[in-house]
């Protein structure tokens, strides 16, 4: 007999860490592991070790969200500006090692799927997920499915904002994520002597520090400038903001909302697009990757409409 509610191991393999957890079909998380991102030769072995620590007889599947370009149909990590590895058949490696079904997707796709299934986007048909991590990750969920284009849709952080702008990790200039990202907020915190991270900057802002608030307003306006482009193209029901944006909350999102209202074509003729923090916050990719894996294996479905 098939148990009613088996769990999956969900993994967030980002630009600086591997975070994994046992995720139940309702989105709750049991045991967790977290390690700094290993260098290229050790990365896949250490990914396998982290997962092995969490696999149990209750595990139905393994889901991995990776920062960068992933060929979903093959479960293959191709390339990413924040990743040390290229062309690795991650899904096949995990399925062979654990004798369990595995899925491998872009980290934002996984998070956007999870947020739409059980999080801040629940009940909406057209959800844009935007996460501030090592760069800006994006995913578009249409009627409960991730829109992938041919394979690599959603690389929104590399929209050109200024062709002569700062150099991006991808090798081009003036990408959106050179103005807004987790590391941009980390750098601002250090520049102002307010700590080492965007979380420190946000904490100072919530405590009323004027410089922190003004910095978050400036970065928030850049966030809104890019979002107004995406909203003009996609017209989603709402935008779910993950990663560092979920931590900064309205300190960052209010100036983004103001920028959208002033920049979006015909804004006064539209219903305002809601901008909401991710319910699963920094764990959205871990949870979403596990739910993608469970969806494939136990038929977990997104409620439509
Ligand atoms: Zn770029």
């Amino acid at each position: 007999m098939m148990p009613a509610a088996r769990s999956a191991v969900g993994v967030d393999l980002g630009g600086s860490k591997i975070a994994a957890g046992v995720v139940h079909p309702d989105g709750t998380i049991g045991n967790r592991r977290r390690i700094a991102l290993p260098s290229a030769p050790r990365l896949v072995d250490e990914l396998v070790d982290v997962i092995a620590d969490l696999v149990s007889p209750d595990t139905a599947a393994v889901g991995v969200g990776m920062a960068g370009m992933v060929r979903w149909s093959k479960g293959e990590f191709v390339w990413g500006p924040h990743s040390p590895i290229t062309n690795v058949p991650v899904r096949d490696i995990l399925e062979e090692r654990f004798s369990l079904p595995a899925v491998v997707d872009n980290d934002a796709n996984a998070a956007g799927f999870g947020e739409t299934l059980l999080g801040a986007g629940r009940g909406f048909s057209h959800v844009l997920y935007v996460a501030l991590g090592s760069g800006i990750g994006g995913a578009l969920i249409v009627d409960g499915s991730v829109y992938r284009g041919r394979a690599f849709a959603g690389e929104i952080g590399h929209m050109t904002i200024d062709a002569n702008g700062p150099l991006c990790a991808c090798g081009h200039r003036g990408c959106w994520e050179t103005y807004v990202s987790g590391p941009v907020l980390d750098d601002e915190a250090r520049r102002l002597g307010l700590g080492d991270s965007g979380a420190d900057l946000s904490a100072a802002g919530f405590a009323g520090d004027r410089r922190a608030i003004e910095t978050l307003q400036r970065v928030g306006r850049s966030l809104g400038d890019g979002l107004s482009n995406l909203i003009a193209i996609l017209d989603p029901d709402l935008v779910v903001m993950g990663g560092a944006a979920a931590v900064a909350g309205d300190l960052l999102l209010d100036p983004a909302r103001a920028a959208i209202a002033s920049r979006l074509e015909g804004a006064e003729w539209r219903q305002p697009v809601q901008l909401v923090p991710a319910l699963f916050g920094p764990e959205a990719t871990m949870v979403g990757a596990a739910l993608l894996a469970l969806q494939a294996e136990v038929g977990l479905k997104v409620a439509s409409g």
Side-chain angles (χ1 to χ4, degrees), residues 228-250:
S228 67
N229 290 337
L230 293 169
I231 291 167
I233 296 166
L234 301 169
D235 195 23
D237 290 314
L238 84 169
V239 183
V240 178
M241 300 295 312
V247 177
D250 287 342

Side-chain angles (χ1 to χ4, degrees), residues 9 35 47 100 108 119 163 169 187 225 231:
V9 174
I35 61 171
L47 170 66
L100 285 169
D187 288 347
D225 289 347
I231 291 167

Side-chain angles (χ1 to χ4, degrees), residues 56 86 88 99 112 159 190 203 210 227 229 257 280 292-293:
S56 76
T86 52
V88 178
S99 300
M159 287 193 299
R190 285 190 284 267
R210 175 176 288 278
L227 287 175
N229 290 337
R257 292 181 182 108
F280 295 112
L292 272 171

Side-chain angles (χ1 to χ4, degrees), residues 157-158 168-170 172 175 177:
H158 304 283
C168 179
C170 76
H172 302 294
C175 296
E177 69 176 47

Side-chain angles (χ1 to χ4, degrees), residues 26-289:
D26 64 357
T28 57
I29 305 171
N31 288 340
R32 299 158 201 255
R33 292 286 182 278
R34 184 185 177 100
I35 61 171
L37 191 72
S39 57
R42 291 283 311 152
L43 197 149
V44 174
D45 287 346
E46 298 213 17
L47 170 66
V48 166
D49 289 349
V50 164
I51 295 169
D53 280 348
L54 296 169
V55 165
S56 76
D58 185 52
T59 307
V62 176
V64 182
M66 300 181 71
M69 292 162 59
V70 175
R71 201 179 303 283
W72 159 262
S73 59
K74 295 182 174 176
E76 184 179 66
F77 182 80
V78 176
W79 176 81
H82 307 287
S83 174
I85 58 173
T86 52
N87 287 326
V88 178
V90 178
R91 184 186 70 193
D92 290 353
I93 291 168
L94 297 180
E95 289 192 339
E96 185 173 334
R97 168 64 177 76
F98 294 107
S99 300
L100 285 169
V103 301
V104 179
D105 204 344
N106 169 268
D107 55 353
N109 284 352
F113 175 80
E115 286 290 333
T116 304
L117 184 68
L118 293 177
R122 188 173 194 166
F124 291 91
S125 297
H126 305 99
V127 176
L128 174 64
Y129 177 79
V130 177
L132 304 187
S134 298
I136 303 178
L140 178 65
I141 316 299
V142 182
D143 293 330
S145 295
V146 177
Y147 176 78
R148 302 176 190 283
R150 290 180 297 169
F152 306 132
E155 291 292 315
I156 59 176
H158 304 283
M159 287 193 299
T160 304
I161 299 294
D162 177 354
N164 300 310
L167 191 62
C168 179
C170 76
H172 302 294
R173 285 196 175 275
C175 296
W176 188 25
E177 69 176 47
T178 64
Y179 302 94
V180 191
S181 70
V184 165
L185 294 174
D186 298 345
D187 288 347
E188 291 292 347
R190 285 190 284 267
R191 183 178 65 81
L192 295 171
L194 293 171
D196 291 322
S197 69
D200 295 333
L201 184 69
S202 297
F206 284 119
D209 185 282
R210 175 176 288 278
R211 294 171 307 157
I213 291 169
E214 287 173 356
T215 299
L216 287 164
Q217 284 174 340
R218 174 167 50 76
V219 177
R221 282 194 296 272
S222 296
L223 178 63
D225 289 347
L227 287 175
S228 67
N229 290 337
L230 293 169
I231 291 167
I233 296 166
L234 301 169
D235 195 23
D237 290 314
L238 84 169
V239 183
V240 178
M241 300 295 312
V247 177
D250 287 342
L251 289 173
L252 195 70
L253 299 187
D254 276 344
R257 292 181 182 108
I260 293 165
S262 69
R263 192 173 281 281
L264 180 62
E265 168 253 9
E268 67 274 31
W269 300 96
R270 301 169 184 256
Q271 295 269 49
V273 176
Q274 294 180 59
L275 227 59
V276 296
L279 184 74
F280 295 112
E283 284 163 334
T285 292
M286 181 198 298
V287 171

